[in-house]
Amino acid sequence: MNIIIFGATGRTGSELLQRALSEGHTVTAFVRNPTKLGISHPNLKVEQGEVTRYIDIKTVLKKEKVDAVFSVLGAKSMFKRDVVLIGALKNIIQAMEESDAGKLIHVSFIGAHRDAGKLGFLYKYVIPNIMTNLLRDHRAKDALVTHSKLNWILVQPPVLTMGGYNGKYVHEAEIRQGSSRKLKLSRANLADFLLKQVNDSTYDRKAVLVTE
């Protein structure tokens, strides 16, 4: 596959990048600072640019046909708003709509789901009252994705960890109250799930919870 990763230098992006390369995919990493990648590979292409500049994103997407675009841009804080990322995602979506860019796979957060309260006390009372700015940003970005003309998937994990890959995770489009879940997910397991979605239509134009 030929994919593009926005946010490749972040913790989730790094896991996704390394896994994609290990599986033999061709990866374009769109980054502000290439030196932060810390990796070189025959199948890795590095494009330097700013997600805040629409022309930078459009130029990259026009270069060649890609099978999927991964949006794994991470917020700097769980408590402060980061409207720059909302604008960045808007740029990505607009550029994708104007090119043959395949599927958009965007990593959101399960706390932004309308039925997140079914997951228990933490998601019903604590997160909505403590992480209000984070949720506001995620909901704004999710709305951009779901109202786009693209083929998209909203991947909504719970708390992410730096644990290793074991392939033991579950995924579902509908949150079921009372189900047994750890409500955490390693970034390595998340990367595995993300890559599988490129050629899987199960969750096309849907939001999906992925958790251990």
Side-chain angles (χ1 to χ4, degrees), residues 183-198:
L183 291 180
K184 66 177 183 178
L185 181 69
S186 73
R187 289 180 170 83
N189 280 332
L190 174 59
D192 178 69
F193 178 80
L194 291 173
L195 287 171
K196 287 179 177 176
Q197 302 318 298
V198 179

Side-chain angles (χ1 to χ4, degrees), residues 69-73 85-94 96-97 102-109 137-156 203-208:
V69 173
F70 290 91
S71 167
V72 289
L73 296 163
L85 296 185
I86 299 174
L89 184 59
K90 186 176 181 179
N91 287 339
I92 293 170
I93 290 172
Q94 183 180 346
M96 288 185 68
E97 289 178 338
K103 183 184 296 187
L104 172 62
I105 302 173
H106 173 68
V107 176
S108 178
F109 171 52
D137 283 358
H138 273 302
R139 286 171 179 146
K141 289 181 286 186
D142 290 358
L144 288 174
V145 174
T146 58
H147 288 90
S148 74
K149 301 174 183 177
L150 303 172
N151 184 17
W152 52 265
I153 297 178
L154 278 181
V155 180
Q156 297 180 314
Y203 297 116
D204 283 5
R205 299 190 68 81
K206 294 179 182 178
V208 53

Side-chain angles (χ1 to χ4, degrees), residues 41-206:
H41 192 281
N43 289 348
L44 174 62
K45 304 174 185 178
V46 180
E47 294 284 352
Q48 185 173 10
E50 294 281 350
V51 290
T52 54
R53 286 201 297 258
Y54 170 72
I55 189 62
D56 288 1
I57 297 173
K58 182 179 179 180
T59 299
V60 172
L61 289 176
K62 287 288 186 180
K63 283 189 175 182
E64 58 184 325
K65 186 179 184 301
V66 296
D67 299 296
V69 173
F70 290 91
S71 167
V72 289
L73 296 163
K76 296 178 181 178
S77 170
M78 292 188 296
F79 306 104
K80 296 180 181 179
R81 297 210 67 183
D82 196 342
V83 294
V84 170
L85 296 185
I86 299 174
L89 184 59
K90 186 176 181 179
N91 287 339
I92 293 170
I93 290 172
Q94 183 180 346
M96 288 185 68
E97 289 178 338
E98 295 179 0
S99 62
D100 189 12
K103 183 184 296 187
L104 172 62
I105 302 173
H106 173 68
V107 176
S108 178
F109 171 52
I110 192 55
H113 195 285
R114 65 179 182 277
D115 292 330
K118 292 181 179 180
L119 297 173
F121 183 85
L122 178 66
Y123 285 88
K124 189 173 184 178
Y125 298 108
V126 180
I127 289 177
N129 290 299
I130 299 298
M131 300 181 180
T132 54
N133 287 324
L134 178 71
L135 293 181
R136 193 175 302 163
D137 283 358
H138 273 302
R139 286 171 179 146
K141 289 181 286 186
D142 290 358
L144 288 174
V145 174
T146 58
H147 288 90
S148 74
K149 301 174 183 177
L150 303 172
N151 184 17
W152 52 265
I153 297 178
L154 278 181
V155 180
Q156 297 180 314
V159 175
L160 294 174
T161 74
M162 295 307 294
Y165 168 75
N166 59 19
K168 296 179 181 180
Y169 56 84
V170 296
H171 41 88
E172 56 193 24
E174 183 179 350
I175 297 178
R176 293 171 295 170
Q177 194 164 15
S179 296
S180 177
R181 311 177 185 89
K182 292 183 179 179
L183 291 180
K184 66 177 183 178
L185 181 69
S186 73
R187 289 180 170 83
N189 280 332
L190 174 59
D192 178 69
F193 178 80
L194 291 173
L195 287 171
K196 287 179 177 176
Q197 302 318 298
V198 179
N199 294 316
D200 190 333
S201 62
T202 303
Y203 297 116
D204 283 5
R205 299 190 68 81
K206 294 179 182 178

